[in-house]
Amino acid sequence: MKIAVACDAGKVSGHFGHCASFEIFETEGDHVLGVATVPNPGHQPGFLPNFLNDRGVEAIIVGGMGAHAISLFESNGIEVLLGAEGPCAEAVGSYLAGTLESRGSTCHEHQHHDDCGGH
C-alpha cells in the first residue's frame, strides 16, 4: 500500500495543497518498506488528487484539505485522513497501527480561515 503524507520540513502540513512535498510511504502490513519524497508540483484546483492517484497512492494524510479535493480523492478510492499533525513518519506509524483517526479540518474557503486551523 502507498500512503502519501503532505509534509513541510518533516511534519504533517496544515494544508495539503500548499505543502512543500509529499512523502510517499510504501508499506506492507504494518511495515514501511521505503519512502520517496515528491516535491509539490504546485497548487492547482483538481490537479494534486490525480497526481497522487497516478502514483498509486491509496491513502492521504494531512492537516487540512478543501472539500473539492476530498471528493476527488474519494472518487478515486483514496482514503483521506484529516487533522493529523506531528512528524510525517509518526503519522504513518499511527495509521498502520490503526490509531490515526480523521478529525475533520476541511477548508471551506481558499483563505483557509474557517475549519482549517487559520491557514
Side-chain angles (χ1 to χ4, degrees), residues 14-109:
H15 189 275
F16 120 100
H18 299 286
C19 68
S21 64
F22 296 96
E23 299 290 321
I24 300 178
F25 292 77
E26 179 80 36
T27 67
E28 186 174 304
D30 61 355
H31 300 298
V32 173
L33 304 176
V35 181
T37 301
V38 178
N40 184 342
H43 185 261
Q44 302 169 30
F47 174 75
L48 291 172
N50 292 320
F51 175 79
L52 293 171
N53 183 52
D54 290 346
R55 279 148 187 78
V57 168
E58 297 173 63
I60 177 82
I61 298 172
V62 66
M65 179 184 294
H68 181 66
I70 292 169
S71 129
L72 288 172
F73 276 117
E74 290 175 344
S75 71
N76 283 309
I78 298 172
E79 182 180 10
V80 178
L81 294 119
L82 301 169
E85 51 189 27
C88 296
E90 286 183 18
V92 170
S94 295
Y95 176 81
L96 294 174
T99 60
L100 184 66
E101 296 181 19
S102 190
R103 296 181 282 136
S105 296
T106 302
C107 299
H108 296 288
E109 297 183 26

